Amino acid sequence: MADKRDYYEVLGVSKGASDDEIKKAYRKLAKKYHPDVNPGDKEAEEKFKEVGEAYGVLSNPDSRAKYDQYGHAAFDPASGGGAGFGGFDFGGFDMGDIFSTFFGGGGGGGRSSSQSQRGESIGLRIKLTFEEAALGCKKKIEFTRKERCSSCNGSGADSPSDVETCKTCGGSGRVRTVQNTIFGQMQSQTTCSACRGKGKTIKNFCKKCSGSGLKNVSKALDVNIPAGIDDGERLTLRSQGNVSTSGLAGDLVLVVSVSKHEFFERDGENLICEFPISRCTTLIKQPLSSRFCSSTSIMKFRLSSKVTFFASSSCTPSRKRAT
């Protein structure tokens, strides 16, 4: 028992922590280390079990009192205690609630969670000229995304008869274990390793997609760029990302990159322009060229703000500001 960490330390709470603080800490850590979030990560799986064991003891007033008095020895089989963590009653706390909250399915709903899973989002960088960003435009973008294999319709099987109900979990996607302890029967559920939580196994894989259920497809879209968009902003196109085997697609996220302008510089929703003028132009208040003013007025109109000019005289080192 000497190798076991203190249960309060495992959950990151003090010995005087309230029931709500213990439950909150458990929820946070269970989400962090859950096998569905860390597939194939043995270390995360062990931490998930350790967190569950700690919560199973500290969430029960009687077992917590025994632990506070005797430590781990209170549950050591050699000392007449229980058999350790194999899933706890959790004092009326339904593990299905936490699975539903974190992963979109019930405690035994590994299969339903898999069926409702969305595909991964795709990130693309789109380059715009200064004028395109200020005035708005339509851009054609090309990208590659994953879609369901047309041959197996996402099942990954060579034929429908090759899809079988998992014999290990009976199609639930989760495996339940039950142990008898001094506190009664204690249960725990883990993702089925045979089917990886899908509830189905495949006898012969699809030859076209090699069992992945997905294929790469080239796509092209016309995207409307709103006027006034800034460098670094993002445009999210819903359900245009990768498609999962269940048919639900993630998003396509466009990150905007705006090139610099020959005259203008953007400051928030304002435009700034710096240009040299002679002392005579300053004194007689000569107007700017019509071409330059026309360009400025368009920018000003689209951004619904103001344009600021920094006019530096060729005879004077200081800058004169005009708006």
Side-chain angles (χ1 to χ4, degrees):
M1 304 301 290
D3 295 333
K4 279 198 171 186
R5 293 172 61 199
D6 179 78
Y7 286 151
Y8 292 101
E9 179 186 342
V10 170
L11 295 181
V13 297
S14 65
K15 288 191 175 182
S18 65
D19 291 343
D20 286 340
E21 289 174 330
I22 290 175
K23 182 181 291 187
K24 183 177 180 180
Y26 169 71
R27 285 176 177 268
K28 180 179 179 181
L29 293 172
K31 178 181 179 181
K32 180 179 179 181
Y33 295 119
H34 194 276
D36 287 352
V37 180
N38 306 277
D41 190 335
K42 295 296 183 182
E43 184 179 353
E45 183 178 347
E46 290 302 318
K47 286 185 177 294
F48 179 74
K49 292 179 180 178
E50 184 182 40
V51 167
E53 179 178 344
Y55 181 74
V57 171
L58 299 183
S59 63
N60 185 296
D62 292 335
S63 60
R64 182 178 180 182
K66 288 185 176 69
Y67 178 74
D68 289 343
Q69 185 172 4
Y70 301 108
H72 292 296
F75 315 105
D76 187 355
S79 303
F85 174 71
F88 287 77
D89 180 25
F90 296 108
F93 176 68
D94 184 5
M95 284 295 290
D97 291 342
I98 191 169
F99 292 132
S100 178
T101 301
F102 293 153
F103 311 110
R111 181 174 55 176
S112 61
S113 176
S114 173
Q115 289 177 345
S116 61
Q117 186 178 6
R118 298 177 64 204
E120 295 180 349
S121 293
I122 300 174
L124 291 178
R125 184 171 294 276
I126 181 171
K127 295 184 178 181
L128 303 176
T129 65
F130 196 89
E131 290 84 356
E132 286 175 332
L135 305 177
C137 63
K138 178 177 286 190
K139 298 285 285 188
K140 183 177 183 179
I141 59 171
E142 297 179 349
F143 61 100
T144 301
R145 76 169 187 173
K146 293 185 181 298
E147 294 185 358
R148 286 203 291 184
C149 173
S150 57
S151 178
C152 65
N153 199 30
S155 70
D158 192 40
S159 68
S161 60
D162 288 316
V163 180
E164 300 177 338
T165 300
C166 178
K167 295 180 175 62
T168 303
C169 65
S172 67
R174 307 195 66 82
V175 177
R176 175 180 297 182
T177 58
V178 180
Q179 290 184 348
N180 294 317
T181 72
I182 59 174
F183 306 111
Q185 284 193 336
M186 298 179 181
Q187 302 179 9
S188 67
Q189 294 188 48
T190 57
T191 301
C192 178
S193 58
C195 65
R196 297 183 180 180
K198 296 181 179 179
K200 300 287 184 181
T201 56
I202 298 174
K203 186 165 57 176
N204 296 307
F205 293 116
C206 172
K207 297 178 177 62
K208 192 171 184 179
C209 65
S210 301
S212 68
L214 301 169
K215 62 178 181 178
N216 290 325
V217 177
S218 297
K219 301 284 289 183
L221 290 175
D222 289 325
V223 181
N224 291 317
I225 307 299
I229 197 168
D230 203 355
D231 185 70
E233 285 193 47
R234 298 186 177 193
L235 294 174
T236 301
L237 306 181
R238 300 297 181 190
S239 301
Q240 294 296 334
N242 290 317
V243 180
S244 68
T245 54
S246 63
L248 299 178
D251 299 329
L252 176 63
V253 181
L254 304 179
V255 182
V256 176
S257 177
V258 181
S259 61
K260 293 184 178 180
H261 192 271
E262 183 181 2
F263 302 111
F264 292 105
E265 179 181 336
R266 181 167 179 169
D267 180 18
E269 294 195 0
N270 299 323
L271 293 178
I272 296 176
C273 178
E274 182 176 354
F275 59 98
I277 59 175
S278 66
R279 180 181 293 276
C280 293
T281 302
T282 306
L283 294 175
I284 65 177
K285 299 180 179 180
Q286 181 178 339
L288 299 172
S289 69
S290 58
R291 179 187 65 83
F292 197 76
C293 285
S294 174
S295 175
T296 301
S297 63
I298 293 176
M299 298 288 190
K300 178 179 177 181
F301 173 77
R302 289 292 184 179
L303 290 174
S304 300
S305 191
K306 66 179 181 179
V307 182
T308 302
F309 298 100
F310 287 106
S312 56
S313 171
S314 59
C315 303
T316 308
S318 60
R319 297 196 302 181
K320 276 181 126 181
R321 179 168 175 161
T323 59

